[in-house]
Amino acid sequence: MITKRQYLEYKELGIKYLEKAYVIIREDEKEKIEVADFGLSDLDNFAIITLTFFNTERISAKVIVVPPRRICPEHWHPPVVHDPGKEEIMRLRWGTLYLYVEGEKTSNPKAKLPEYRRKYFTVWHEIIMKPGDQYYLPPGVKHWFQAGDEGAVIDDYSTCSRDALDQFTDPDIVRIPVIKEE
Ligand code: ZN
């Protein structure tokens, strides 16, 4: 759960990063910016700020701001009825991103996880992304990521996005943000 004040603070932070990364957005789109804490109420560790440009039954495009060292927890995109699951391409626009996927475990990974949730991170094949790098994530593959010290801005292209149906390794996660009125 996040408070209205935290939501506004992170929304402004997101706008600041979008400006740094030269993402031009309209005034009315600012109201569509979503701040996710994944239900963990620990924005110092777990936070992403997302603006979805469009999301149809077949295609979706969004920009994701990951503030410095914040984490998007381990998840995968499961099949939904006739859809084999979200197919996603992440392209780094600004900053540094440490992306982790299934595969050979990387020794001395760059990610820094809070000890109390470390057990919910099980894939450790590291991909270090710099601006212009892009990475293809097939449906069903487990992944998670953490921004580097300066943060990261990601262009994210995919088939239909159904965030509410994403599966997470951590059982305490609630994907759709709940904002508490103060
Ligand atoms: Zn994903």
Side-chain angles (χ1 to χ4, degrees):
M1 191 153 23
I2 53 182
T3 64
K4 187 89 195 191
R5 179 150 34 95
Q6 286 172 322
Y7 168 74
L8 293 172
E9 184 191 320
Y10 273 73
K11 187 173 91 164
E12 286 310 313
L13 184 69
I15 292 168
K16 218 175 75 186
Y17 276 92
L18 293 179
E19 283 170 2
K20 281 192 212 212
Y22 299 104
V23 180
I24 309 299
I25 65 168
R26 299 186 311 270
E27 204 52 40
D28 62 293
E29 286 178 311
K30 292 183 178 171
E31 295 316 305
K32 292 183 1 191
I33 291 175
E34 185 193 282
V35 176
D37 77 334
F38 303 95
L40 298 173
S41 303
D42 181 6
L43 289 168
D44 288 342
N45 285 304
F46 300 98
I48 60 169
I49 303 150
T50 305
L51 174 62
T52 299
F53 295 128
F54 55 84
N55 185 26
T56 75
E57 280 297 304
R58 301 177 69 190
I59 52 171
S60 173
K62 33 178 121 165
V63 60
I64 304 169
V65 172
V66 193
R69 284 289 167 187
R70 283 4 177 249
I71 298 154
C72 174
E74 184 174 291
H75 67 282
W76 64 99
H77 306 289
V80 181
V81 199
H82 300 300
D83 182 344
K86 187 169 90 166
E87 194 177 7
E88 181 174 15
I89 292 177
M90 294 171 68
R91 181 180 171 96
L92 200 75
R93 178 182 269 272
W94 188 92
T96 303
L97 190 76
Y98 305 119
L99 171 67
Y100 296 86
V101 296
E102 294 173 26
E104 200 184 331
K105 187 177 164 79
T106 300
S107 42
N108 304 315
K110 298 272 191 288
K112 294 173 188 162
L113 292 180
E115 253 348 283
Y116 82 113
R117 303 215 91 80
R118 177 177 283 276
K119 61 175 182 264
Y120 301 124
F121 293 80
T122 66
V123 300
W124 284 97
H125 183 70
E126 181 179 77
I127 289 130
I128 300 179
M129 295 184 75
K130 291 284 184 184
D133 290 344
Q134 67 180 42
Y135 193 83
Y136 169 73
L137 289 160
V141 167
K142 283 184 185 163
H143 55 283
W144 59 277
F145 49 85
Q146 180 174 42
D149 294 336
E150 76 277 50
V153 181
I154 308 159
D155 288 323
D156 188 87
Y157 307 96
S158 72
T159 56
C160 179
S161 176
R162 298 178 177 92
D163 291 345
L165 301 177
D166 287 349
Q167 305 273 306
F168 285 83
T169 306
D170 184 338
D172 295 333
I173 283 176
V174 179
R175 174 62 184 90
I176 300 305
V178 178
I179 298 169
K180 186 173 76 180
E181 293 292 334
E182 283 167 296

